[in-house]
Amino acid sequence: MTTSRREDVLVSVCFADAEFDAAGYDALKRLAQALNESFRYWEILILDDGSRRHMEDDLLRAIENLRLLRTSLGMPFYRRRVAVAAEAIGDLVLLTAAEEIGQIDAIALLRTAEQDGAIVVSRKPGWSALNLPLRVLGRTAGFQVNAQDMLSAAFPRTLLNRLLARRDRELAVRFPPADGLTPVIWRLCDTARGKGRSLRETRRRFNLLHRLLVASAPRVLALLGLGSLLVVLSALAYIAYAIIVWLVMDDVQSGWLTTSVVLGLTSAFLGTAIFGLSIGLQNLIELLATNAGDDVLEERSAVDLFGRVIDELNVEISTGLAHPPPRVRDRQDGPRA
C-alpha cells in the first residue's frame, strides 16, 4: 500500500553532529530520497564545528534541501541539539544522530507524530541494569528517563516550541518531561543494533548524568529545607528536655546542662542557616524559571457560546462593506475647522 506524497506539511530532519562514516552517508542519501518521496517540502539540517569542511561540498552536491550549520568548537552535544532544533523551520521536526539514521524508520516517526500530535521517541529493545536508578533520578529531575531511549525523536512544532522555551530545554529535547501535559509515544525499534560504546558516547552519557543531577536541584533543595527544619525543631526540643532534666533531677553532673544547651543551640543555628539557604535558592530558581503560559492544552465544550451570543444579539457578519468607512482626520490633515 503506497501513501500519497504530502504537500501540506514541512518536515525538518536535524543532526547535531556530522559523524558520518561511509555507511552513514549512504543512509543519509536514502533518507533524503525517502523524504522526497513522502513529502514535497522537507529539509535536512546538519550542525558541524567546521572540522569536516572538506566534505561539505560533496554533501551539498549529493543531497538537495540540505542546510549545513556552523557552530563553535567544544560545544556540548545536547546544547548542539537545542541549537539545531531551534534553527529548524518544519511543522514536524525529527532529531536524530548519525549512528542511528540507518536503524530507524524516519518517515513512520514523522507520520505518527503528526497523526497523534505527540512526541514519538525511538526505544531499543532489551533492558539495562542502570534503568531503575536512572528512572528515579529522572523523576526527581522531572523527566521520563529510560536507558533504552534512543537519540531519535519526532516532535510536532507546537510541542517542540514548548520544550525549547523551558529553562532545562537541553534535557527536555532528550527525555520527555514528566509533567502529564506532554503526550509521548514510545516506538520500539527492532533494528537497533547493540554495540560497544565509544569514548565520545561515554563522555556524552556522563554529561547527561550531570545535567540530570543539576535539574533535580529544586526537589533536593525542598527535601533539604524540610530536613533542616526538622533539625531545628529537634534541637529546640532537646534544649527544653535538658532544662527540664536539670530542674527536676538532683544528681545531674556539672556541665551537662551547659554542654547540652550549646549543642542544641549549635544544631538549631546550623539548621536555620541551611533552611534559609535552601528556601532562598528555591526562590531564585522559581524567579529564573520561564512560564510558557500554555498549561491548558485542549478544550472540549457542549455549547457554542459565541455562536449563541451572535444569534441572540442578531449580529450579522459580512465580508463586504455596503458603504466605505468614513475618513478619520489625523494630525497630518491640518487643524480642525
Side-chain angles (χ1 to χ4, degrees), residues 73-91:
L73 291 172
M75 181 180 290
F77 175 77
Y78 292 103
R79 184 176 175 182
R80 297 206 306 266
R81 277 173 62 94
V82 172
V84 71
E87 290 294 329
I89 62 174
D91 304 308

Side-chain angles (χ1 to χ4, degrees), residues 14-32:
C14 305
F15 295 87
D17 56 2
E19 298 286 342
F20 292 100
D21 52 9
Y25 279 116
D26 294 337
L28 188 61
K29 294 177 182 179
R30 291 194 299 269
L31 172 64

Side-chain angles (χ1 to χ4, degrees), residues 22-210:
Y25 279 116
D26 294 337
L28 188 61
K29 294 177 182 179
R30 291 194 299 269
L31 172 64
Q33 182 180 0
L35 290 173
N36 191 46
E37 294 175 354
S38 301
F39 305 96
R40 180 177 180 181
Y41 305 105
W42 57 273
E43 64 172 355
I44 295 179
L45 291 82
I46 299 179
L47 196 64
D48 193 14
D49 55 7
S51 59
R52 298 167 182 82
R53 195 166 184 175
H54 60 283
M55 300 182 180
E56 293 182 357
D57 294 336
D58 296 336
L59 282 174
L60 291 173
R61 284 193 298 265
I63 300 175
E64 61 177 346
N65 300 342
L66 178 64
R67 296 170 58 192
L68 295 176
L69 308 176
R70 187 67 50 79
T71 183
S72 59
L73 291 172
M75 181 180 290
F77 175 77
Y78 292 103
R79 184 176 175 182
R80 297 206 306 266
R81 277 173 62 94
V82 172
V84 71
E87 290 294 329
I89 62 174
D91 304 308
L92 298 172
V93 179
L94 174 64
L95 289 177
T96 183
E99 62 268 21
E100 295 181 359
I101 191 60
Q103 306 175 19
I104 63 172
D105 189 348
I107 306 301
L109 291 176
L110 292 167
R111 292 189 182 277
T112 305
E114 182 197 17
Q115 293 173 2
D116 297 336
I119 301 174
V120 184
V121 182
S122 294
R123 174 171 291 180
K124 295 182 294 186
W127 66 280
S128 175
L130 297 177
N131 208 12
L132 180 59
L134 284 178
R135 282 186 177 181
V136 175
L137 181 60
R139 285 291 179 176
T140 304
F143 297 96
Q144 304 180 57
V145 179
N146 193 302
Q148 301 303 115
D149 286 350
M150 304 172 65
L151 294 171
S152 301
F155 302 83
R157 169 54 61 180
T158 304
L159 297 181
L160 181 61
N161 290 340
R162 185 182 303 139
L163 297 181
L164 292 177
R166 293 172 58 104
R167 173 179 52 87
D168 47 6
R169 51 186 173 271
E170 295 183 15
L171 283 174
V173 298
R174 177 64 177 94
F175 295 112
D179 53 7
L181 300 176
T182 306
V184 185
I185 298 175
W186 284 272
R187 183 182 178 93
L188 190 62
C189 182
D190 296 329
T191 59
R193 299 183 299 268
K195 60 180 181 179
R197 297 189 180 94
S198 61
L199 179 61
R200 178 171 170 269
E201 186 176 358
T202 302
R203 184 170 61 250
R204 183 194 305 168
R205 286 178 175 266
F206 275 111
N207 183 23
L208 180 63
L209 180 62
H210 173 259

Side-chain angles (χ1 to χ4, degrees), residues 254-268:
S254 59
W256 179 83
L257 176 63
T258 305
T259 304
S260 299
V261 171
V262 169
L263 290 175
L265 291 176
T266 302
S267 300

